[in-house]
Amino acid sequence: MGTDAGLAERERTADEINARARAVGLLCDAGVPFVVGGAYAYATYTGIYRDTKDLDLFPRKADALRALQVLEKDGWRTERTDEVWLYKAFKGDYFVDFIFSSGNGVAVVDDEWFEHANRATVFGHSCLVAPAEEMIWSKAFVAERERYDGADVNHLILKAGQRMDWGRLMRRFDRYWEVLLSHVMMFRFSYPSERDVIPDWVMAELMRRTMDSILEGRWDARLCRGNLVSKVNYHVDIHHWGFGDGRAWDENERQQGGERVAGPELENSVGGSR
């Protein structure tokens, strides 16, 4: 990992890079809409490059199926890995991930990923790159033992925060505002000289909600929502300690259009967006 662009491909063979380039080219030629995410998008915003074992493309779910069909015609092996968030396409040992949601089903790829995307050249093709706001929304829920994306979130805030639409980011997190709070607090800890990157109105609103939650007190339902950020680390809590399955509860609430804690219209929060 570093600021040398060559780090993104130094450990990859020419065949693997060519496979990624071919996938992008085929999808562009077929008119399949997607935004580039993962390490390539991260480098676009932060200038940080790192070796990556795959290419992450973010289509809407319906377009993910189209993408598989396009690559199948070119001889790729495809699989619908997880209907919640992931399909894959393989060219021998090399593969492309088609990610249409976060793994917990919260950060679904929708029209706004495309409306607010930036544009960059990826493998010689002019491509849309996932917005920094949506990258943070998706990465914020990754907190496994073997992978924690908190540093990525910090670097995105550091390098793109001055230009971000914080009103949209707050709206994205909505009922998960505490997850965003945990990340902005870690940012303030990590970069005490850069605290003003996060607008004061964002911190004030998150602090207000925190005080409201203190006044609200404990919930009656004994839930563990930890499995929204880690599939593994909260298994004991749910299967041995008697906590309710917070992810299943949350999925049901989203399907029903419910909201555990109602908040104000976020786009009109005090101070507006920067």
Side-chain angles (χ1 to χ4, degrees), residues 8-23 40 51 76 91 94 123:
E9 299 176 355
R10 187 168 294 165
E11 302 299 320
R12 303 295 122 186
T13 66
D15 285 347
E16 183 169 7
I17 298 304
N18 290 337
R20 295 178 186 180
R22 181 163 183 79
Y40 290 98
D51 177 49
W76 295 61
K91 190 74 166 177
Y94 315 130
F123 298 115

PDB file of all heavy atoms in Angstrom, residues 8-23 40 51 76 91 94 123:
ATOM      1  N   ALA A   8      -0.992  -1.026  -7.457  1.00  0.00           N
ATOM      2  CA  ALA A   8      -2.289  -1.649  -7.725  1.00  0.00           C
ATOM      3  C   ALA A   8      -2.175  -2.873  -8.605  1.00  0.00           C
ATOM      4  O   ALA A   8      -3.071  -3.726  -8.610  1.00  0.00           O
ATOM      5  CB  ALA A   8      -3.241  -0.629  -8.358  1.00  0.00           C
ATOM      6  N   GLU A   9      -1.068  -2.976  -9.364  1.00  0.00           N
ATOM      7  CA  GLU A   9      -0.962  -4.062 -10.342  1.00  0.00           C
ATOM      8  C   GLU A   9       0.371  -4.792 -10.282  1.00  0.00           C
ATOM      9  O   GLU A   9       0.604  -5.730 -11.045  1.00  0.00           O
ATOM     10  CB  GLU A   9      -1.191  -3.495 -11.748  1.00  0.00           C
ATOM     11  CG  GLU A   9      -2.585  -2.871 -11.901  1.00  0.00           C
ATOM     12  CD  GLU A   9      -2.786  -2.216 -13.259  1.00  0.00           C
ATOM     13  OE1 GLU A   9      -1.810  -2.159 -14.045  1.00  0.00           O
ATOM     14  OE2 GLU A   9      -3.915  -1.762 -13.529  1.00  0.00           O
ATOM     15  N   ARG A  10       1.252  -4.393  -9.380  1.00  0.00           N
ATOM     16  CA  ARG A  10       2.599  -4.951  -9.353  1.00  0.00           C
ATOM     17  C   ARG A  10       2.608  -6.453  -9.116  1.00  0.00           C
ATOM     18  O   ARG A  10       3.429  -7.181  -9.660  1.00  0.00           O
ATOM     19  CB  ARG A  10       3.416  -4.227  -8.284  1.00  0.00           C
ATOM     20  CG  ARG A  10       4.893  -4.604  -8.273  1.00  0.00           C
ATOM     21  CD  ARG A  10       5.659  -3.632  -7.395  1.00  0.00           C
ATOM     22  NE  ARG A  10       5.646  -2.285  -7.959  1.00  0.00           N
ATOM     23  CZ  ARG A  10       5.979  -1.189  -7.280  1.00  0.00           C
ATOM     24  NH1 ARG A  10       6.312  -1.283  -6.001  1.00  0.00           N
ATOM     25  NH2 ARG A  10       5.966  -0.018  -7.871  1.00  0.00           N
ATOM     26  N   GLU A  11       1.680  -6.929  -8.284  1.00  0.00           N
ATOM     27  CA  GLU A  11       1.638  -8.356  -7.948  1.00  0.00           C
ATOM     28  C   GLU A  11       0.725  -9.153  -8.884  1.00  0.00           C
ATOM     29  O   GLU A  11       0.535 -10.347  -8.697  1.00  0.00           O
ATOM     30  CB  GLU A  11       1.153  -8.532  -6.503  1.00  0.00           C
ATOM     31  CG  GLU A  11       2.007  -7.829  -5.455  1.00  0.00           C
ATOM     32  CD  GLU A  11       3.436  -8.336  -5.448  1.00  0.00           C
ATOM     33  OE1 GLU A  11       3.628  -9.565  -5.596  1.00  0.00           O
ATOM     34  OE2 GLU A  11       4.366  -7.515  -5.321  1.00  0.00           O
ATOM     35  N   ARG A  12       0.156  -8.492  -9.885  1.00  0.00           N
ATOM     36  CA  ARG A  12      -0.773  -9.137 -10.803  1.00  0.00           C
ATOM     37  C   ARG A  12      -0.074  -9.466 -12.119  1.00  0.00           C
ATOM     38  O   ARG A  12       0.795  -8.729 -12.579  1.00  0.00           O
ATOM     39  CB  ARG A  12      -1.964  -8.228 -11.079  1.00  0.00           C
ATOM     40  CG  ARG A  12      -2.739  -7.795  -9.856  1.00  0.00           C
ATOM     41  CD  ARG A  12      -3.413  -8.967  -9.185  1.00  0.00           C
ATOM     42  NE  ARG A  12      -2.994  -9.129  -7.796  1.00  0.00           N
ATOM     43  CZ  ARG A  12      -3.331 -10.134  -7.023  1.00  0.00           C
ATOM     44  NH1 ARG A  12      -4.104 -11.101  -7.489  1.00  0.00           N
ATOM     45  NH2 ARG A  12      -2.908 -10.201  -5.779  1.00  0.00           N
ATOM     46  N   THR A  13      -0.457 -10.572 -12.750  1.00  0.00           N
ATOM     47  CA  THR A  13       0.114 -10.940 -14.040  1.00  0.00           C
ATOM     48  C   THR A  13      -0.549 -10.134 -15.152  1.00  0.00           C
ATOM     49  O   THR A  13      -1.637  -9.571 -14.987  1.00  0.00           O
ATOM     50  CB  THR A  13      -0.095 -12.432 -14.326  1.00  0.00           C
ATOM     51  OG1 THR A  13      -1.508 -12.680 -14.480  1.00  0.00           O
ATOM     52  CG2 THR A  13       0.460 -13.287 -13.187  1.00  0.00           C
ATOM     53  N   ALA A  14       0.120 -10.107 -16.297  1.00  0.00           N
ATOM     54  CA  ALA A  14      -0.453  -9.407 -17.450  1.00  0.00           C
ATOM     55  C   ALA A  14      -1.789 -10.034 -17.853  1.00  0.00           C
ATOM     56  O   ALA A  14      -2.725  -9.326 -18.243  1.00  0.00           O
ATOM     57  CB  ALA A  14       0.530  -9.448 -18.621  1.00  0.00           C
ATOM     58  N   ASP A  15      -1.887 -11.361 -17.754  1.00  0.00           N
ATOM     59  CA  ASP A  15      -3.144 -12.030 -18.103  1.00  0.00           C
ATOM     60  C   ASP A  15      -4.287 -11.567 -17.199  1.00  0.00           C
ATOM     61  O   ASP A  15      -5.421 -11.386 -17.662  1.00  0.00           O
ATOM     62  CB  ASP A  15      -2.988 -13.549 -17.985  1.00  0.00           C
ATOM     63  CG  ASP A  15      -2.200 -14.142 -19.135  1.00  0.00           C
ATOM     64  OD1 ASP A  15      -1.992 -13.430 -20.143  1.00  0.00           O
ATOM     65  OD2 ASP A  15      -1.777 -15.307 -19.032  1.00  0.00           O
ATOM     66  N   GLU A  16      -3.989 -11.399 -15.910  1.00  0.00           N
ATOM     67  CA  GLU A  16      -5.042 -10.972 -14.989  1.00  0.00           C
ATOM     68  C   GLU A  16      -5.476  -9.541 -15.281  1.00  0.00           C
ATOM     69  O   GLU A  16      -6.680  -9.248 -15.302  1.00  0.00           O
ATOM     70  CB  GLU A  16      -4.550 -11.082 -13.540  1.00  0.00           C
ATOM     71  CG  GLU A  16      -5.621 -10.733 -12.516  1.00  0.00           C
ATOM     72  CD  GLU A  16      -5.233 -11.100 -11.098  1.00  0.00           C
ATOM     73  OE1 GLU A  16      -4.073 -11.511 -10.888  1.00  0.00           O
ATOM     74  OE2 GLU A  16      -6.098 -10.979 -10.205  1.00  0.00           O
ATOM     75  N   ILE A  17      -4.534  -8.659 -15.510  1.00  0.00           N
ATOM     76  CA  ILE A  17      -4.873  -7.276 -15.836  1.00  0.00           C
ATOM     77  C   ILE A  17      -5.662  -7.226 -17.140  1.00  0.00           C
ATOM     78  O   ILE A  17      -6.653  -6.494 -17.266  1.00  0.00           O
ATOM     79  CB  ILE A  17      -3.601  -6.415 -15.942  1.00  0.00           C
ATOM     80  CG1 ILE A  17      -2.870  -6.380 -14.590  1.00  0.00           C
ATOM     81  CG2 ILE A  17      -3.944  -5.001 -16.397  1.00  0.00           C
ATOM     82  CD1 ILE A  17      -3.721  -5.897 -13.436  1.00  0.00           C
ATOM     83  N   ASN A  18      -5.263  -8.033 -18.116  1.00  0.00           N
ATOM     84  CA  ASN A  18      -5.975  -8.064 -19.392  1.00  0.00           C
ATOM     85  C   ASN A  18      -7.396  -8.596 -19.217  1.00  0.00           C
ATOM     86  O   ASN A  18      -8.316  -8.142 -19.909  1.00  0.00           O
ATOM     87  CB  ASN A  18      -5.218  -8.925 -20.401  1.00  0.00           C
ATOM     88  CG  ASN A  18      -3.928  -8.268 -20.860  1.00  0.00           C
ATOM     89  OD1 ASN A  18      -3.789  -7.053 -20.777  1.00  0.00           O
ATOM     90  ND2 ASN A  18      -2.978  -9.064 -21.343  1.00  0.00           N
ATOM     91  N   ALA A  19      -7.584  -9.558 -18.296  1.00  0.00           N
ATOM     92  CA  ALA A  19      -8.925 -10.081 -18.049  1.00  0.00           C
ATOM     93  C   ALA A  19      -9.823  -8.992 -17.460  1.00  0.00           C
ATOM     94  O   ALA A  19     -10.994  -8.850 -17.850  1.00  0.00           O
ATOM     95  CB  ALA A  19      -8.846 -11.277 -17.100  1.00  0.00           C
ATOM     96  N   ARG A  20      -9.285  -8.216 -16.536  1.00  0.00           N
ATOM     97  CA  ARG A  20     -10.065  -7.121 -15.955  1.00  0.00           C
ATOM     98  C   ARG A  20     -10.419  -6.086 -17.018  1.00  0.00           C
ATOM     99  O   ARG A  20     -11.566  -5.622 -17.094  1.00  0.00           O
ATOM    100  CB  ARG A  20      -9.278  -6.455 -14.824  1.00  0.00           C
ATOM    101  CG  ARG A  20      -9.022  -7.350 -13.637  1.00  0.00           C
ATOM    102  CD  ARG A  20      -8.185  -6.640 -12.580  1.00  0.00           C
ATOM    103  NE  ARG A  20      -7.823  -7.552 -11.492  1.00  0.00           N
ATOM    104  CZ  ARG A  20      -7.096  -7.216 -10.436  1.00  0.00           C
ATOM    105  NH1 ARG A  20      -6.650  -5.968 -10.317  1.00  0.00           N
ATOM    106  NH2 ARG A  20      -6.813  -8.104  -9.505  1.00  0.00           N
ATOM    107  N   ALA A  21      -9.420  -5.758 -17.833  1.00  0.00           N
ATOM    108  CA  ALA A  21      -9.655  -4.774 -18.888  1.00  0.00           C
ATOM    109  C   ALA A  21     -10.702  -5.283 -19.882  1.00  0.00           C
ATOM    110  O   ALA A  21     -11.561  -4.523 -20.346  1.00  0.00           O
ATOM    111  CB  ALA A  21      -8.345  -4.456 -19.614  1.00  0.00           C
ATOM    112  N   ARG A  22     -10.636  -6.567 -20.206  1.00  0.00           N
ATOM    113  CA  ARG A  22     -11.599  -7.126 -21.153  1.00  0.00           C
ATOM    114  C   ARG A  22     -13.018  -7.087 -20.580  1.00  0.00           C
ATOM    115  O   ARG A  22     -13.970  -6.754 -21.288  1.00  0.00           O
ATOM    116  CB  ARG A  22     -11.228  -8.568 -21.526  1.00  0.00           C
ATOM    117  CG  ARG A  22     -12.184  -9.189 -22.541  1.00  0.00           C
ATOM    118  CD  ARG A  22     -11.628 -10.409 -23.212  1.00  0.00           C
ATOM    119  NE  ARG A  22     -12.546 -10.934 -24.221  1.00  0.00           N
ATOM    120  CZ  ARG A  22     -12.685 -10.435 -25.437  1.00  0.00           C
ATOM    121  NH1 ARG A  22     -11.960  -9.398 -25.815  1.00  0.00           N
ATOM    122  NH2 ARG A  22     -13.531 -10.977 -26.307  1.00  0.00           N
ATOM    123  N   ALA A  23     -13.161  -7.410 -19.297  1.00  0.00           N
ATOM    124  CA  ALA A  23     -14.477  -7.364 -18.671  1.00  0.00           C
ATOM    125  C   ALA A  23     -15.059  -5.955 -18.742  1.00  0.00           C
ATOM    126  O   ALA A  23     -16.228  -5.770 -19.116  1.00  0.00           O
ATOM    127  CB  ALA A  23     -14.377  -7.830 -17.216  1.00  0.00           C
ATOM    128  N   TYR A  40      -9.847   0.516  -6.967  1.00  0.00           N
ATOM    129  CA  TYR A  40      -9.662   1.487  -8.036  1.00  0.00           C
ATOM    130  C   TYR A  40     -10.382   2.793  -7.722  1.00  0.00           C
ATOM    131  O   TYR A  40      -9.847   3.885  -7.946  1.00  0.00           O
ATOM    132  CB  TYR A  40     -10.140   0.898  -9.362  1.00  0.00           C
ATOM    133  CG  TYR A  40      -9.244  -0.208  -9.863  1.00  0.00           C
ATOM    134  CD1 TYR A  40      -9.563  -1.545  -9.638  1.00  0.00           C
ATOM    135  CD2 TYR A  40      -8.063   0.072 -10.544  1.00  0.00           C
ATOM    136  CE1 TYR A  40      -8.732  -2.565 -10.078  1.00  0.00           C
ATOM    137  CE2 TYR A  40      -7.224  -0.946 -10.998  1.00  0.00           C
ATOM    138  CZ  TYR A  40      -7.570  -2.264 -10.754  1.00  0.00           C
ATOM    139  OH  TYR A  40      -6.733  -3.282 -11.188  1.00  0.00           O
ATOM    140  N   ASP A  51      -2.429  -3.448  -3.814  1.00  0.00           N
ATOM    141  CA  ASP A  51      -2.687  -4.645  -4.600  1.00  0.00           C
ATOM    142  C   ASP A  51      -4.106  -5.137  -4.342  1.00  0.00           C
ATOM    143  O   ASP A  51      -4.588  -5.120  -3.206  1.00  0.00           O
ATOM    144  CB  ASP A  51      -1.681  -5.736  -4.210  1.00  0.00           C
ATOM    145  CG  ASP A  51      -1.940  -7.038  -4.945  1.00  0.00           C
ATOM    146  OD1 ASP A  51      -2.099  -6.987  -6.173  1.00  0.00           O
ATOM    147  OD2 ASP A  51      -1.989  -8.085  -4.280  1.00  0.00           O
ATOM    148  N   TRP A  76     -16.751 -16.663 -19.933  1.00  0.00           N
ATOM    149  CA  TRP A  76     -16.524 -16.585 -18.502  1.00  0.00           C
ATOM    150  C   TRP A  76     -17.478 -17.531 -17.770  1.00  0.00           C
ATOM    151  O   TRP A  76     -18.613 -17.749 -18.200  1.00  0.00           O
ATOM    152  CB  TRP A  76     -16.767 -15.164 -17.984  1.00  0.00           C
ATOM    153  CG  TRP A  76     -15.821 -14.113 -18.490  1.00  0.00           C
ATOM    154  CD1 TRP A  76     -15.628 -13.740 -19.801  1.00  0.00           C
ATOM    155  CD2 TRP A  76     -14.956 -13.288 -17.704  1.00  0.00           C
ATOM    156  NE1 TRP A  76     -14.704 -12.733 -19.875  1.00  0.00           N
ATOM    157  CE2 TRP A  76     -14.266 -12.431 -18.602  1.00  0.00           C
ATOM    158  CE3 TRP A  76     -14.700 -13.180 -16.342  1.00  0.00           C
ATOM    159  CZ2 TRP A  76     -13.346 -11.485 -18.169  1.00  0.00           C
ATOM    160  CZ3 TRP A  76     -13.786 -12.233 -15.908  1.00  0.00           C
ATOM    161  CH2 TRP A  76     -13.105 -11.402 -16.802  1.00  0.00           C
ATOM    162  N   LYS A  91     -12.678 -15.778 -15.181  1.00  0.00           N
ATOM    163  CA  LYS A  91     -11.940 -16.073 -16.408  1.00  0.00           C
ATOM    164  C   LYS A  91     -10.719 -16.867 -15.982  1.00  0.00           C
ATOM    165  O   LYS A  91      -9.689 -16.306 -15.586  1.00  0.00           O
ATOM    166  CB  LYS A  91     -11.527 -14.770 -17.091  1.00  0.00           C
ATOM    167  CG  LYS A  91     -10.959 -14.957 -18.490  1.00  0.00           C
ATOM    168  CD  LYS A  91     -12.061 -15.299 -19.492  1.00  0.00           C
ATOM    169  CE  LYS A  91     -11.599 -15.152 -20.920  1.00  0.00           C
ATOM    170  NZ  LYS A  91     -12.640 -15.547 -21.898  1.00  0.00           N
ATOM    171  N   TYR A  94      -8.992 -15.825 -12.631  1.00  0.00           N
ATOM    172  CA  TYR A  94      -9.233 -14.406 -12.361  1.00  0.00           C
ATOM    173  C   TYR A  94     -10.737 -14.148 -12.271  1.00  0.00           C
ATOM    174  O   TYR A  94     -11.539 -14.855 -12.893  1.00  0.00           O
ATOM    175  CB  TYR A  94      -8.615 -13.544 -13.467  1.00  0.00           C
ATOM    176  CG  TYR A  94      -7.220 -13.982 -13.829  1.00  0.00           C
ATOM    177  CD1 TYR A  94      -6.860 -14.203 -15.163  1.00  0.00           C
ATOM    178  CD2 TYR A  94      -6.259 -14.207 -12.847  1.00  0.00           C
ATOM    179  CE1 TYR A  94      -5.578 -14.616 -15.501  1.00  0.00           C
ATOM    180  CE2 TYR A  94      -4.971 -14.627 -13.172  1.00  0.00           C
ATOM    181  CZ  TYR A  94      -4.633 -14.834 -14.500  1.00  0.00           C
ATOM    182  OH  TYR A  94      -3.382 -15.255 -14.827  1.00  0.00           O
ATOM    183  N   PHE A 123      -8.634   1.091 -17.041  1.00  0.00           N
ATOM    184  CA  PHE A 123      -8.228   0.168 -18.100  1.00  0.00           C
ATOM    185  C   PHE A 123      -8.517   0.727 -19.489  1.00  0.00           C
ATOM    186  O   PHE A 123      -8.980   0.028 -20.382  1.00  0.00           O
ATOM    187  CB  PHE A 123      -8.917  -1.189 -17.926  1.00  0.00           C
ATOM    188  CG  PHE A 123      -8.573  -1.880 -16.641  1.00  0.00           C
ATOM    189  CD1 PHE A 123      -9.543  -2.102 -15.677  1.00  0.00           C
ATOM    190  CD2 PHE A 123      -7.280  -2.296 -16.372  1.00  0.00           C
ATOM    191  CE1 PHE A 123      -9.233  -2.735 -14.480  1.00  0.00           C
ATOM    192  CE2 PHE A 123      -6.959  -2.919 -15.188  1.00  0.00           C
ATOM    193  CZ  PHE A 123      -7.933  -3.140 -14.241  1.00  0.00           C
TER     194      PHE A 123
END
